[in-house]
Amino acid sequence: MLFWILVAVLTAVVGAVLLHPLLRGAKEAADCRSGEAEVYRDQLRELDRDLAGGLISTEEAGYARAEIGRRLIAASREEESGAKSPKRGSYRISQAFIVVMLPVIGLCLYLANGDPGLPSQPLEARLQKPGSDLALSIVKIEQHLARNPDDGKGWEVLAPIYFKTNRIGDAELAYRNVIRLLGPSAARLGDLGEVLVVKANGVVTADARSVLQQSRALDAANPRTLFYLALALEQEGKGPDAKTAFEALAKQSPPDAPWLAVVNEHIAKNGGTPVASANANAPGNPTAEDVAAANTMNNGDRQQMIRGMVESLDAKLKEDPKNFEGWMRLIRSYVVLNDRDRALDALKRGLSAFPADGGEGQQLLALAKELGLPTEVTQQ
């Protein structure tokens, strides 16, 4: 009941606010016209006094009387027609519309789309049941950690969410808290190392390398750790060492490993021969014949062959843009070939097929940051 009383009061207030200028405008217009006619009547009386006093001639008085009379007649006619004019009627229609129709229309829209019986849901109540609302889930976990800052499991849940939602600084803090509270492990250190690489726009910094080396000491076969450590050698200009590291990673990887295509690209970039994989028939991956042919080529011819494979993958993605792995390979490939303009164009097209608000789009953006591509341009 209280709700409907408030609705009625608000409707009355809004109606009064909207009606006030209309009523005031009509009244001011009528008062103005009435005063104008009275002025002309005063001028006629003053003219008679001037003529009687000999201040003006009869001929001049006649001309003046005729002009004043003409204006008085015009003002009187407008005053009379104003009372019957459509404008006054339109004012009344407008008033009726505001007073009656607007509340009726608003009520109909509310009854069709609203729910007056729905109880209020303050933030605290919504946090109890966040459902699929990721933002509310984050707030709920953050509130829990504010009360229990030493809950390592809570930080472990929150850290990857921060990373996936591109809150890199918060993700770093969360992973450091996880390691401090729950202890280091190869996976946790690897997660922190990857965050540090993304934070540095794809550069394996000294801090990231130190963390990744600790991860490798706990698990010498972790492919992600080995990849970033090999990438660090490549970024330092140690091509032969990087090639050896990438080749070692390729040899220990399963033939159908999803990261093998990326590793092969770095092997080729550093002058090595790509390793055949079980995904040889996937778009853009080298076939057994390609690998055999690459073994007989010099470095320049091998690079030309790789560029042709990348362009072939690009063409296939134009025909079938829903190939997520293909976009990941294409973007990396163009960066490996030092063609950043095409890499950025591929990123934009990949985000058209997989929007940034989805899981695949977030992975594309994370890859772009790892490779040092300007993600801000792609989201404009």
Side-chain angles (χ1 to χ4, degrees), residues 223-224 226-227 230 243-269 272-288 291 306 309 313 325 328-330 332-333 336:
R224 179 178 56 175
L226 296 177
F227 174 83
K243 178 175 73 70
T244 300
F246 281 120
E247 287 175 340
L249 173 57
K251 290 178 181 178
Q252 76 170 48
S253 299
D256 58 349
W259 60 83
L260 194 53
V262 177
V263 173
N264 276 330
E265 291 168 6
H266 285 277
I267 291 174
K269 179 181 179 181
T273 302
V275 176
S277 70
N279 295 324
N281 294 325
N285 280 357
T287 64
V291 175
I306 293 172
M309 292 166 57
L313 172 60
E325 293 297 334
M328 295 284 283
R329 287 195 296 272
L330 184 65
R332 281 189 179 277
S333 298
V336 168

Side-chain angles (χ1 to χ4, degrees), residues 183-217:
S185 69
R188 291 166 187 162
L189 289 166
D191 289 335
L192 176 58
E194 184 173 33
V195 168
L196 294 174
V197 172
V198 173
K199 182 180 178 181
N201 295 319
V203 176
V204 184
T205 62
D207 188 13
R209 185 170 184 172
S210 174
V211 171
L212 291 166
Q213 286 172 338
Q214 295 176 52
S215 174
R216 184 177 60 181

Side-chain angles (χ1 to χ4, degrees), residues 302-343:
R302 188 181 298 115
Q303 289 291 322
Q304 187 64 32
M305 173 184 139
I306 293 172
R307 181 171 289 278
M309 292 166 57
V310 173
E311 291 176 354
S312 174
L313 172 60
D314 197 334
K316 290 178 180 178
L317 287 172
K318 289 178 180 178
E319 298 175 0
D320 178 22
K322 290 301 181 181
N323 181 353
F324 171 69
E325 293 297 334
W327 287 115
M328 295 284 283
R329 287 195 296 272
L330 184 65
I331 295 167
R332 281 189 179 277
S333 298
Y334 276 133
V335 172
V336 168
L337 294 172
N338 201 27
D339 195 339
R340 299 183 68 81
D341 290 339
R342 287 194 177 183

Side-chain angles (χ1 to χ4, degrees), residues 351-367:
L351 288 173
S352 296
F354 299 95
D357 56 357
E360 293 88 350
Q362 286 294 320
Q363 292 183 57
L364 288 172
L365 290 174
L367 172 64

Side-chain angles (χ1 to χ4, degrees), residues 94-144:
S94 300
Q95 295 164 14
F97 179 80
I98 291 172
V99 174
V100 179
M101 295 305 296
L102 282 183
V104 170
I105 293 173
L107 180 60
C108 292
L109 289 174
Y110 179 77
L111 292 176
N113 300 288
D115 188 355
L118 185 67
S120 61
Q121 287 187 306
L123 178 61
E124 191 64 31
R126 285 183 286 138
L127 287 175
Q128 297 301 320
K129 297 180 179 180
S132 59
D133 192 327
L134 180 60
L136 284 179
S137 298
I138 293 175
V139 172
K140 183 177 180 180
I141 301 173
E142 288 175 335
Q143 288 186 350
H144 168 76

